[in-house]
Each structure stands twice: as structure tokens, then as C-alpha cells.
Amino acid sequence: MARGPTIALALEGQLRLDDQPVLHRAVALARQSGGRLLVLACRPQGQRLRGPHQRRLEAQALTSLHARLAAAGIPLLAFPQHTTAAALAELRPLVQPEAVLHAQESRLFNTWPVAAERFPRVFSQFRRALECSPEPPLPPPDLTGLGDPWDELPRAWLESPAPPPTSAGPDPRSAFPFPGDEPTALARLGHYLFGSSGLRDYKLTRNGLVGTEFSAKFSPFLGVGSLSVRRIWREVLRYQELHGADEGSEWMQQELLWREFFLWSEQRHGDAFHAPGGLQNRPPAAPAGPQEARERFARWTRGDSGHPLIDAQLRELLTTGYLSNRGRQWVASHFVNELQLPWTWGGRFFEWALIDAHPALNTGNWAYLAGVGSDPRSFGGSPRRFDLERQVRLYDPEQTHRRLWAAPAPLPL
């Protein structure tokens, strides 16, 4: 028998307990009403297709979160093919929640950091015009007393979500060998900021290509919602309080603001943000020879672009889902300028393949490199074009990355 009304929390892709404002509201509501808490993990409305690498991280995050909630007697019901509305319709004959609260995507700012009508198209203007400071994170709430036997629910619903796809474990060459759960995310945050020189050296090492320590590796956790961006920001401030601000910590803050810029830009511009012409409404020329372009694109998706440096990057992407910041820029520049293929094709493939894919961030970066987005050099000019031979001399002079990923990539799953 239920103890009281049911309060449902829809995670909407935010798979963590730390810094979940809506979880605090749901707990308070359940306590006020003498009720119980039910958590739903559904497919967020509008979420695009995720590839195998990001689905693996998501499954790991769900499994971990299910166990932590189950310890408090709170069920996490996973409906990966349903939106929240569809899941509630299926649940209604058995349980009718008195209230349904929906989690929001993790952002630094709860409201427009620059007024929507004045929101700039260039990052430097955004950074200078910020009208508020990032919101502080919230700790996980106390869940004691909010559980229930849930006898009215099918036992299969209460079981742990399906485990991650079976595999032999991460590829030993992977720069992101970590599982996607919240405890791992928080441990990685602590290690990078306080257990190593990672943050201090970040500006110097961030253009690396091989290994786990050249960059923070926070983005895959942010992508599946197992880490809060406000938690990262607060921990960077704590680092600065202890050690003083340095180039590494200030550059990390800038990268987090770039993330925020693209999220709010998408909200400001809507469909135009993802359109071929981007924010500049400047559609690139259609590829010559549509059939040849499609064949070129198909070879590219198999890691067979014809350029050794690019193919090594694509092999890493296909095998692990990860690609360094520098590698992503090389691949996008080559795709647009050398292969002369529509940037939206490459963007959508990245969105499927990347372990940290996010539609707004992915589109923002591809449009930037394609010369139709927020790159100030491209307004009235040409897109950035990387001299790949020079890039190799600068960032992989001994061809360490190229040799590491010399083996053919597996076929896309």
C-alpha cells in the first residue's frame, strides 16, 4: 500500500544526484506531502540518434544511478525508447503521480547570461557582455524515507537497466577509457584539478593527441549528464582559491563559457543555428557531382579519406568515439576545404560517432570551421583552413598518433 502521493522526477538525460536542482524540489515536495519518490529515465524530447560509444556511457551511468537510488528504496524506471509523456501513459494504470518534475540540462546560468535581444554572434563579445555570474551547484539531497516497496509495479520494471553493450573493455589506445557513471566523473574531476598538475598545465597540453592527461576529458560525462558544469566551475574556483588563478584554470573557465555560448546561441537562433547557412545565412556551394560526393563521404565515414593524418583521426573516432580538440579541427577543416563536402554531413556523422556528442556544441563547432558560424574571421571572409603538414610538425612531429592509429578502423556499428 502506498504511503502517500507519488512525486515523479523525469531525469531528461541528467543522470546524476549531484547538482540536480529539480531533485531537491522533488524531495521537498515528497516530504511536504508525506509521499514517495519515483524517478524516470526516458529519451529526452528531440534527442537525436546516439552512436554506440555514447550509448555505452549512458548505460553505465544509468546502471550506477539505479543502484544508488535503489539503496534508498527509490525506483529508477528506464524507458529508453519512450519520451517522458509516453512513459507516464504506460505507467498511469498502475501509478498516477500527483506531480511530475522535469530536470533541465546542466548550464552555468539559469537564465539568459546576455539578454536574448542583444545576444552576440561572436564569443568574445559574449564573454565581455556577461550580465551575471554562474550559479553555485547544489549537493545531493538526503533521500532517507522516500522509498517504498512499490508492490504495484512489475518486478521487471524495478530491475537494473540493461547493462552496457558487451565488449572486451575499452581499446588500450583510447584517450577516454573511463566508464560514464557519476562516481567516476567526480573522481576524474578531483584527479584532474587536485590530484595532478592537469589543470595547471591545461593551456599548454590541451592540443595533445595521445593519452588521458593532455586534457580534462569532462565532456563525455557532461554529454550523458553524469557531471554538472556548475560543479566543474565551482571546483575550478576552489582550485584558484587554493593555488591562485593561472593560465590553465582561466583557460578551463573560457572553455566552459564556450560551451555556454553555443547552448544559448542555439536557443537564440533556433533552426537557423543548424541550417547549412548557419548564423551568417551563407549557404556553402553545393558539392560538384552529387554521386561522387556521396562516395567520398562514404569512404570518409570508414576512415578512408585519402589523407594519412585525417585517416588516423577517423580511426580513433570510429574505434573509441573520442577525438581530441585539435583532431576535430583538422578533420572538419579537411572535410570542408579539401574534400569540399557539406559541413552538415560531417556534423551529423560526428554527432552519431562522438562519445561526448551534443547537438548544439557539435553544430556550433562545425559551423565555426565551415565559415558560417561564430568565427569572427569568416564574417565576409573565407573559412579557416589548416595546413595539415604544418600541424603535424607542430603537434605530432614524431607521428606518435599516426603510428598508434595506423591499423584500419572497425566498420561503423
Side-chain angles (χ1 to χ4, degrees):
M1 214 41 159
R3 293 185 299 106
T6 297
I7 307 301
L9 168 61
L11 292 172
E12 306 296 358
Q14 301 301 302
L15 306 180
R16 65 182 184 281
L17 299 180
D18 181 57
D19 193 32
Q20 278 275 43
V22 71
L23 178 57
H24 283 262
R25 294 197 295 273
V27 166
L29 192 56
R31 294 202 189 284
Q32 290 167 9
S33 63
R36 55 186 184 166
L37 190 60
L38 174 70
V39 179
L40 301 174
C42 306
R43 177 176 58 82
Q45 188 76 35
Q47 179 177 287
R48 300 189 191 181
L49 179 66
R50 282 181 160 173
H53 301 297
Q54 196 169 41
R55 290 201 309 271
R56 172 172 50 83
L57 285 196
E58 182 182 47
Q60 291 163 342
L62 268 174
T63 299
S64 172
L65 185 56
H66 179 277
R68 297 171 72 196
L69 289 170
I74 298 170
L76 187 160
L77 306 185
F79 295 91
Q81 305 306 319
H82 290 52
T83 62
T84 298
L88 288 170
E90 189 161 334
L91 191 63
R92 194 169 296 121
L94 303 173
V95 175
Q96 297 185 26
E98 181 173 282
V100 180
L101 285 69
H102 298 260
Q104 300 293 317
E105 181 173 49
S106 177
R107 298 189 182 193
L108 290 175
F109 306 100
N110 288 337
T111 187
W112 286 94
V114 179
E117 63 273 12
R118 299 193 306 276
F119 200 88
R121 293 188 294 173
V122 175
F123 173 73
S124 59
Q125 297 172 358
F126 164 78
R127 187 181 55 195
R128 289 194 297 267
L130 288 173
E131 298 167 352
C132 53
S133 298
E135 303 289 338
L138 296 172
D142 178 14
L143 302 177
T144 305
L146 298 176
D148 200 67
W150 296 96
D151 296 329
E152 68 271 43
L153 294 179
R155 304 318 298 172
W157 286 16
L158 300 174
E159 294 173 357
S160 179
T166 56
S167 68
D171 189 290
R173 299 169 292 178
S174 177
F176 189 87
F178 313 107
D181 58 278
E182 180 181 8
T184 299
L186 293 172
R188 175 64 185 176
L189 176 62
H191 164 76
Y192 195 75
L193 270 60
F194 302 107
S196 72
S197 62
L199 185 60
R200 184 194 66 199
D201 300 336
Y202 176 63
K203 188 178 180 182
L204 297 174
T205 64
R206 65 191 178 88
N207 285 317
L209 302 173
V210 176
T212 61
E213 300 308 296
F214 67 82
S215 64
K217 308 298 191 299
F218 297 154
S219 60
F221 300 118
L222 289 169
V224 297
S226 60
L227 183 62
S228 154
V229 69
R230 302 194 308 183
R231 178 61 63 195
I232 300 173
W233 186 275
R234 178 65 194 104
E235 291 301 287
V236 171
L237 292 180
R238 188 163 72 89
Y239 168 93
Q240 292 175 335
E241 290 166 0
L242 291 171
H243 305 290
D246 51 34
E247 281 191 331
S249 61
E250 289 175 347
W251 203 267
M252 175 63 70
Q253 289 174 310
Q254 177 166 284
E255 295 295 335
L256 297 176
L257 288 174
W258 263 109
R259 178 182 186 271
E260 208 74 8
F261 172 67
F262 282 141
L263 293 175
W264 291 99
S265 291
E266 181 192 44
Q267 190 166 332
R268 170 67 179 85
H269 296 286
D271 291 342
F273 184 82
H274 295 279
L279 305 183
Q280 301 183 34
N281 193 26
R282 191 176 72 175
Q291 181 58 36
E292 181 188 348
R294 285 193 290 270
E295 291 173 358
R296 225 166 30 240
F297 176 69
R299 290 196 303 273
W300 181 85
T301 64
R302 298 192 295 268
D304 183 21
S305 74
H307 193 291
L309 173 65
I310 298 303
D311 288 344
Q313 303 295 321
L314 291 171
R315 288 175 192 135
E316 180 180 11
L317 173 64
L318 291 168
T319 305
T320 70
Y322 185 82
L323 201 54
S324 70
N325 172 65
R326 183 60 50 171
R328 297 179 200 209
Q329 294 180 66
W330 293 342
V331 171
S333 174
H334 181 265
F335 189 90
V336 171
N337 295 305
E338 318 310 331
L339 297 182
Q340 297 187 324
L341 293 171
W343 71 269
T344 52
W345 295 11
R348 287 305 296 269
F349 184 79
F350 262 39
E351 193 175 311
W352 174 83
L354 281 171
I355 201 167
D356 59 358
H358 185 292
L361 311 181
N362 187 60
T363 290
N365 281 296
W366 269 88
Y368 188 102
L369 266 296
V372 300
S374 299
D375 182 3
R377 295 188 196 176
S378 66
F379 285 86
S382 301
R384 292 178 189 246
R385 189 171 196 153
F386 285 89
D387 179 341
L388 295 182
E389 302 314 311
R390 179 174 182 273
Q391 292 289 306
V392 169
R393 291 196 299 273
L394 287 172
Y395 299 107
D396 196 24
E398 313 227 342
Q399 299 192 13
T400 305
H401 181 276
R402 185 169 153 185
R403 288 199 306 271
L404 186 67
W405 294 102
L411 291 176
L413 300 179

